[in-house]
Amino acid sequence: MNKFEEIQGVINNMQAVFASEEVALDKAFNRVLREDILADMDMPPFHKSAMDGYACHRDDINNELEVLGVIQAGMVSSKKVGKNQCVKIMTGAAVPDGCDCVFKVEDSEKISENRVCCLNPKTFHNICFRGEDYQKGELLIKSGTIINTPQMAVLSGAGYAGVQVSRRPKITVISTGTELVHPSETPKPGQIRNSNTNQLVTQLYKMNLEVIDTLLLADDYENLKIHFLESLEKSDIVIFTGGASVGDFDFIPELLKELGFQIFWDRTGIKPGNPMTFSQKGMKYVLGLSGNPVSSLAQFEFIAKPVIYKLLGANFRPLRILSTINFDYHRKNADRLAIVPVIINEEGTVDEISFHGSAHINALVSANALLEVPTEINHLEKGTPVHVRPL
Ligand code: AMP
Ligand code: MG
């Protein structure tokens, strides 16, 4: 088993640690559901017309029919539809008892004020039968689901005004590096702008998570320690970028050790982005990502996101598509899972983009997916099946 697979095994075995809370349904989008959702009634709750048309008995479909009246959606007809009779019915209205067919307005011909006939005797029945979508008591959405737009519709249909979702952890993002300046500043010689904070904060926003604070700190051990301890007081999760490796000023692993954190891993087995820690002390969790912008993005997508979702109790599975590569790929060293920014084109195959490695974040601007090149694979010939993850 390679390092990345080993880490995935650890993540899969993690449990939800954040409690649940009730939120109003209109605040539940993109939150992690923490209760099973059951149907309180059949859907549809009655035999429902799927078309604007005429409801009748199938046996009478070749006959001229008397129109008894009109049923609008929301109404229930008290009329009894007898032999060679029908009612005009609108989409969504309850089909009168005994009627087993609705023929479309487009398939009808009006003969007189209250008489019609069907021009398409082979018509579908055009009825959504009671309970055909789901039945009372059926499990509609499993606990752990990330609530997306279809779930919002189903929750509404099932009568939920509020739902139990995971409490949102308080997260602080700390970018470290003496060379870093705020994006609004002009870097002096030797300095660069901090791009990771905004990248990570928006990754977290996409997950509908709450970032309570962001810090930009120099590589000064004592100062890092003071601010880290302050952040830990008020946060459930601290995410560092930078200082994760073995350089003279890469202090994060050392700091975590000194403060008694249990470090689950300090290498990821992915490229770019090998040095990265995930650690825990009590109810505090720390992700120590690389400083290189593409590395931190890849580490977030491939590792931090699944970790956070797991802590939230989500059954998250990243979308991976099996496609084919449109170019010859080659690398010398295949000891890690390579993550390569690419474009999934309109044919659904994978195009190459110019990519220089872990610092080349602007390559990602035109990318719409990340290609996975498994460990021990040095070459991928054009036309080879590959896995890609849409961004
Ligand atoms: P580190 O992981 O601290 O060794 O940093 C690796 C590389 O990423 C160095 O070239 C850093 O200057 C750069 N880097 C670190 N943090 C950031 C950041 N927040 N924004 C942009 N680049 C960074
Ligand atoms: Mg650094």
Side-chain angles (χ1 to χ4, degrees), residues 19-287:
S20 67
E21 62 183 6
E22 165 127 2
V23 294
L25 188 58
D26 62 358
K27 300 280 181 291
F29 175 64
N30 217 359
R31 300 283 298 263
V32 178
L33 184 67
R34 291 289 286 278
E35 61 179 320
D36 284 339
I37 300 300
L38 304 177
D40 69 334
M41 58 170 75
D42 295 341
M43 190 56 68
F46 46 84
H47 301 323
K48 190 178 81 173
S49 178
M51 296 287 169
D52 297 324
Y54 295 89
C56 65
H57 300 272
R58 180 116 221 169
D59 290 348
D60 299 337
I61 202 83
N62 292 304
N63 307 339
E64 206 177 293
L65 304 171
E66 179 195 355
V67 184
L68 298 180
V70 182
I71 316 175
Q72 205 182 334
M75 288 180 174
V76 177
S77 171
S78 55
K79 295 217 170 71
K80 172 138 183 43
V81 180
K83 177 86 188 140
N84 291 335
Q85 292 182 323
C86 67
V87 284
K88 197 168 191 191
I89 190 163
M90 302 300 131
T91 305
V95 176
D97 287 346
C99 292
D100 56 2
C101 182
V102 172
F103 61 89
K104 295 194 275 185
V105 170
E106 296 90 324
D107 288 342
S108 71
E109 187 177 34
K110 203 167 173 181
I111 293 158
S112 65
E113 194 46 42
N114 66 344
R115 300 193 81 74
V116 287
C117 68
C118 175
L119 300 173
N120 175 19
K122 289 195 173 141
T123 176
F124 295 120
H125 56 63
N126 295 319
I127 297 171
C128 306
F129 292 102
R130 174 175 180 158
E132 74 175 22
D133 295 347
Y134 58 75
Q135 290 178 3
K136 184 174 175 175
E138 203 173 305
L139 175 62
L140 300 178
I141 311 175
K142 269 196 197 156
S143 178
T145 302
I146 300 163
I147 299 174
N148 205 328
T149 32
Q151 285 80 7
M152 290 297 288
V154 173
L155 284 159
S156 307
Y160 282 76
V163 278
Q164 287 291 325
V165 296
S166 297
R167 169 177 85 74
R168 292 197 297 182
K170 295 186 172 69
I171 304 177
T172 297
V173 173
I174 306 178
S175 290
T176 69
T178 303
E179 74 281 23
L180 301 173
V181 296
H182 192 270
S184 63
E185 288 176 42
T186 304
K188 298 197 178 74
Q191 297 183 326
I192 57 164
R193 293 192 177 102
N194 166 23
S195 66
N196 287 348
T197 299
N198 283 325
Q199 182 210 126
L200 287 166
V201 166
T202 42
Q203 287 268 32
L204 294 162
Y205 285 167
K206 277 166 83 176
M207 296 168 71
N208 197 6
L209 293 170
E210 190 187 2
V211 177
I212 59 160
D213 202 5
T214 60
L215 301 175
L216 177 57
L217 300 176
D219 298 311
D220 168 334
Y221 191 88
E222 287 310 319
N223 192 47
L224 274 172
K225 188 167 151 185
I226 292 167
H227 284 95
F228 178 43
L229 287 170
E230 266 176 28
S231 298
L232 275 178
E233 285 283 310
K234 53 188 183 189
S235 319
D236 301 297
I237 300 175
V238 174
I239 303 179
F240 281 109
T241 74
S245 192
V246 291
D248 287 358
F249 301 93
D250 290 340
F251 293 135
I252 306 306
E254 189 184 333
L255 183 58
L256 293 166
K257 275 184 215 139
E258 190 208 319
L259 296 175
F261 275 77
Q262 180 190 358
I263 299 180
F264 294 95
W265 61 78
D266 60 6
R267 290 286 177 276
T268 63
I270 65 172
K271 183 182 169 67
N274 205 24
M276 173 201 171
T277 49
F278 171 57
S279 60
Q280 176 193 4
K281 186 178 175 187
M283 286 296 287
K284 307 289 179 180
Y285 296 86
V286 179
L287 290 150

